[in-house]
Amino acid sequence: MADLQDEPHSAGIGAEDLPAPAAPAAAVSTLDRAAALLAVHPVLDGCNTLVWTLRQNPYLDIETSDAGVDTDIPRLRAGGVGAQFWSLLVPEGGSCDDGATDQVVADTLEQIDVALALMRRHPDSLRLALGADDLADARNRGRIASFLGPVPGRALTDSLGALRAFHALGVRSLAPAGAAWAREGLTAFGHEVVREANRLAVLLDLAGCPAAVARRIAAASKAPVIVSGTGAAALNPHPDNVDDEVLAALREANGLAMVSFDTARTGDSLHAVADHLDHVRAVAGPECVGLGAAFGTDRAGRHPTGLTDPSGYPRLIAELLERGWTEPELALLTWANAQRVIRDTEFTARRSSPAGV
């Protein structure tokens, strides 16, 4: 039987009336695929220092992208950020670097106050999160779930009551680095802190801890631990990057290494950051890698080309797609791994607390 295109008048239709051949469907770009993935599996970012920046300049308006800081609500939304840990640490060179205990506590409380004020000022965009269930609630309401933490371990002042007080204020992460009880190992009080953090469902954030201390805390904790902002020391031996032994310990503890976007730690390009993510995935496993960009600064040049603010997340995901990361692996990276760590920490707290407490 002849093809109808050979006899255009056979059905009583003129050749000029035939529909034009359909154009081939345009290939979906990796950037389009990245944006679609982030719409379903947004970023749960482990580190943003905006609170400190706002403390120094309280008149910044983060409702627009002209605020003079790399983090604002439009760019968080453009980057597909669905949840954020707001760091309460004072950066290097801050006022509590003199080590005075009262100054550390005062700085920490002021950081908490600034963070809570940030959420009060932007109730249509940010929602305080106290646990894993708040992640879904914030998404359903069109808000960015906002976790408080970490606070510095030095702010505990050798008091578990201080940890409980920070928890009551909404803090959900603690950074032992620099505390006397976690300097060269774990002291007896340090073991008590780990147990109490587990009981309260406060994440232990090992960022900045010496490798031996990080491994000791990971082994002592019954809940998963995280490193909220790091790179792979095997690629760049920066003192704040974790080595392969720590990555292996995180894998053993079902923890999470959240890769930073910092030129000093992870290089000056998006491709360099992707190299660190590749290495962490290879050593710790796809279930133990996350994102902790450390945006929130008003200093230019701190972040690599292509990742200078949160709106760059789709470009990073597109790069990882081109490197062969599967969409399920990327869903783990952006959201599911961090969600699982938060939820597992809560399960540990329920198991360790007496009934009714």
Side-chain angles (χ1 to χ4, degrees):
M1 181 176 178
D3 187 85
L4 289 178
Q5 288 186 349
D6 294 333
E7 300 180 272
H9 297 286
S10 61
I13 302 175
E16 68 278 7
D17 297 320
L18 289 173
V28 178
S29 72
T30 52
L31 191 58
D32 289 337
R33 289 175 60 198
L37 184 143
L38 288 170
V40 180
H41 307 285
V43 172
L44 198 168
D45 184 285
C47 180
N48 189 298
T49 62
L50 180 65
V51 171
W52 170 259
T53 302
L54 290 176
R55 183 179 167 190
Q56 306 308 300
N57 189 350
Y59 302 106
L60 288 173
D61 178 14
I62 67 165
E63 290 283 1
T64 71
S65 293
D66 300 319
V69 64
D70 62 31
T71 297
D72 51 60
I73 290 167
R75 283 183 283 191
L76 287 168
R77 294 198 182 280
V81 176
Q84 180 69 68
F85 273 87
W86 301 103
S87 175
L88 304 174
L89 303 178
V90 174
E92 187 176 348
S95 58
C96 74
D97 275 3
D98 60 8
T101 299
D102 56 350
Q103 188 63 57
V104 175
V105 175
D107 277 327
T108 302
L109 291 172
E110 188 164 343
Q111 296 277 85
I112 294 170
D113 183 62
V114 173
L116 293 174
L118 174 67
M119 282 164 241
R120 287 195 299 270
R121 285 199 304 271
H122 304 284
D124 294 335
S125 298
L126 306 176
R127 184 173 178 83
L128 179 65
L130 300 176
D133 289 344
D134 294 330
L135 293 170
D137 184 65
R139 288 188 67 184
N140 291 339
R141 296 170 182 264
R143 312 294 197 270
I144 297 169
S146 298
F147 289 92
L148 299 186
V151 294
R154 288 184 296 160
L156 299 190
T157 63
D158 293 333
S159 167
L160 295 181
L163 177 58
R164 290 188 283 270
F166 287 135
H167 178 268
L169 290 171
V171 171
R172 291 298 180 266
S173 178
L174 174 72
W181 48 268
R183 222 164 254 162
E184 297 179 359
L186 266 184
T187 66
F189 177 70
H191 281 281
E192 291 182 18
V193 171
V194 170
R195 284 193 293 271
E196 187 66 2
N198 286 173
R199 189 187 72 81
L200 294 171
V202 170
L203 289 168
L204 291 164
D205 180 355
L206 310 186
C209 285
V213 175
R215 293 196 301 271
R216 181 70 61 86
I217 295 174
S221 177
K222 295 184 181 300
V225 295
I226 67 170
V227 183
S228 65
T230 189
L235 302 185
N236 177 7
H238 188 280
D240 290 333
N241 286 347
V242 293
D243 61 25
D244 285 0
E245 289 187 3
V246 172
L247 290 176
L250 289 171
R251 183 172 193 157
E252 181 69 21
N254 295 316
L256 188 61
M258 309 180 90
V259 173
S260 175
F261 306 168
D262 185 286
T263 53
R265 285 184 278 177
T266 48
D268 59 2
S269 71
L270 179 152
H271 303 288
V273 172
D275 289 341
H276 283 263
L277 286 165
D278 279 339
H279 185 86
V280 173
R281 179 183 64 155
V283 178
E287 295 82 10
C288 296
V289 57
L291 299 165
F295 291 128
T297 181
D298 55 2
R299 289 183 291 152
R302 178 177 173 181
H303 300 295
T305 303
L307 292 173
T308 55
D309 63 66
S311 69
Y313 270 119
R315 291 189 290 273
L316 176 63
I317 300 306
E319 169 69 17
L320 297 176
L321 282 167
E322 291 176 358
R323 291 183 178 218
W325 286 55
T326 66
E327 293 192 7
E329 286 174 336
L330 290 168
L332 290 173
L333 171 74
T334 60
W335 183 264
N337 285 340
Q339 180 188 46
R340 184 260 308 164
V341 165
I342 294 168
R343 197 169 292 283
D344 285 356
T345 300
E346 293 175 356
F347 289 158
T348 300
R350 293 190 190 107
R351 288 196 301 267
S352 62
S353 295
V357 175

